[in-house]
Amino acid sequence: MSVAVQCQDFYCPVFLTGTRGEMFGQDTPKKFISILLNGIMEFRRPETMTLGLPLEEALFSLGETFNECSISDWDGYGALPVNEDAFAEAKKFVELLPSSIKIPDIMAEPIGEIAFEWRKGKNRIFVISLGGRQQITYAGIFGGNKIHGTEYFEDSLPINILNNISRVYS
Amino acid sequence: MERLDRTETLARYLYSKNQYRPSDNSVKHNAFIPPPNKQLSVFRITALLENEIWRIGDSLSDRTPLGRADIQAESVYDADLLIFLDDIPPRHANIINWPEEQSAIKLKAIELAQKARLELK
């Protein structure tokens, strides 16, 4: 039995890096599931976040943004309100973030989307936004390099998005 | 279209605390995301006194601006955007020529926010 897992070094969890002998013995299924579950729990425990705000604070900040920006014209220039679909999708995105990734700055955009921003200084910035349409719109500046595009988002974080977040701090 | 001198300063009034970051005195990119009509409202403030600049912001809405993002016309042109001077109301202009793709708009908004200076009221 073999399991192939693409693993980016900066967020590769412990449960995917064990040696072959440790991971796949006679009691593989039971042991693997146990290690997997422990790893997932480790991922999801807010207090294990060593960088940035804990998960609860990120969700609180998300809730505050939603409360402030779920009305029309929240910016004084006719902004569209952030709707519940955008909020739910943004919440799912935050909850899926590995604990090794810094919790972003959270804000609304006048097109009714919720945006997350990671930045290091003035010249390394990566921004994504979600509008409840299973799509992530992103743009970033990494020194002299500029990128932008979209990614499909449903149940897992796109690898391209995770790589660009890590690029901010590399 | 009349072209603004590159050294002119434009102000984008900020009515939501969601648009700036007091912790490091910076402007967030969302302050420069245009509305669906893709006309980003700004005012020419070169040579005006501070109280005159704030008076413009006060007159635009029932709300009082919390701050403003000041940006040089040069930064707008460098982002391949244009400034349309309509003077309605006086000193008003719109930043136009935004790309179609929302991700490309986001990138330009980030570039403008990078170069903007936050002034809090």
Side-chain angles (χ1 to χ4, degrees), chain B:
Chain B
M1 188 186 305
E2 185 189 345
R3 199 168 172 90
L4 207 58
D5 190 286
R6 292 175 72 87
T7 61
E8 276 224 40
T9 304
L10 304 167
R12 169 85 170 157
Y13 293 98
L14 308 176
Y15 295 93
S16 167
K17 62 180 168 55
N18 183 56
Q19 296 172 306
Y20 60 90
R21 212 179 275 107
S23 58
D24 63 357
N25 222 39
S26 62
V27 179
K28 295 183 183 179
H29 82 282
N30 61 350
F32 288 103
I33 296 273
N37 69 6
K38 292 187 181 171
Q39 299 196 10
L40 189 86
S41 176
V42 291
F43 281 82
R44 302 165 65 182
I45 59 166
T46 301
L48 292 182
L49 299 172
E50 275 295 298
N51 64 333
E52 293 173 322
I53 297 171
W54 289 119
R55 202 177 305 143
I56 293 172
D58 290 338
S59 68
L60 300 175
S61 160
D62 293 341
R63 283 182 266 183
T64 303
L66 304 171
R68 62 176 205 265
D70 290 352
I71 190 163
Q72 301 294 117
E74 178 179 36
S75 301
V76 177
Y77 292 131
D78 287 349
D80 291 326
L81 298 167
L82 298 173
I83 302 163
F84 177 67
L85 310 172
D86 61 9
D87 264 329
I88 308 170
R91 293 186 169 274
H92 184 259
N94 283 311
I95 296 178
I96 59 171
N97 202 38
W98 294 89
E100 283 302 313
E101 270 184 289
Q102 201 58 44
S103 63
I105 290 174
K106 199 185 296 297
L107 181 59
K108 291 196 183 295
I110 294 171
E111 290 180 277
L112 295 183
Q114 264 187 317
K115 293 173 180 168
R117 189 179 66 247
L118 176 66
E119 296 288 344
L120 293 176
K121 196 165 185 183

Side-chain angles (χ1 to χ4, degrees), chain A residues 28-76:
Chain A
T28 290
K30 204 172 171 181
K31 188 174 179 183
F32 183 79
I33 289 167
S34 169
I35 295 170
L36 187 67
L37 287 175
N38 285 338
I40 291 169
M41 291 305 289
E42 194 68 18
F43 249 16
R44 306 301 309 280
R45 272 172 36 206
E47 62 271 27
T48 65
M49 289 186 170
T50 54
L51 293 168
L53 298 171
L55 181 61
E56 280 94 346
E57 280 188 53
L59 293 175
F60 180 77
S61 173
L62 182 60
E64 274 194 324
T65 301
F66 180 61
N67 283 340
E68 188 195 342
C69 304
S70 57
I71 52 167
S72 294
D73 195 31
W74 55 263
D75 68 346

Side-chain angles (χ1 to χ4, degrees), chain A residues 20-135:
Chain A
R20 188 179 177 83
E22 287 169 357
M23 296 285 287
F24 307 117
Q26 198 173 8
D27 56 349
T28 290
K30 204 172 171 181
K31 188 174 179 183
F32 183 79
I33 289 167
S34 169
I35 295 170
L36 187 67
L37 287 175
N38 285 338
I40 291 169
M41 291 305 289
E42 194 68 18
F43 249 16
R44 306 301 309 280
R45 272 172 36 206
E47 62 271 27
T48 65
M49 289 186 170
T50 54
L51 293 168
L53 298 171
L55 181 61
E56 280 94 346
E57 280 188 53
L59 293 175
F60 180 77
S61 173
L62 182 60
E64 274 194 324
T65 301
F66 180 61
N67 283 340
E68 188 195 342
C69 304
S70 57
I71 52 167
S72 294
D73 195 31
W74 55 263
D75 68 346
Y77 295 99
L80 300 177
V82 173
N83 64 33
E84 287 183 9
D85 288 344
F87 173 72
E89 196 169 68
K91 183 170 177 283
K92 183 164 72 175
F93 183 92
V94 168
E95 289 172 340
L96 285 170
L97 278 176
S99 60
S100 56
I101 287 184
K102 189 172 180 177
I103 294 295
D105 201 359
I106 300 169
M107 65 204 79
E109 289 190 351
I111 53 169
E113 300 201 348
I114 289 184
F116 299 124
E117 181 190 282
W118 292 264
R119 67 203 298 259
K120 186 178 176 187
K122 271 207 154 189
N123 295 315
R124 302 189 78 80
I125 302 169
F126 184 62
V127 176
I128 68 139
S129 66
L130 300 141
R133 298 187 305 277
Q134 297 184 327
Q135 179 177 281

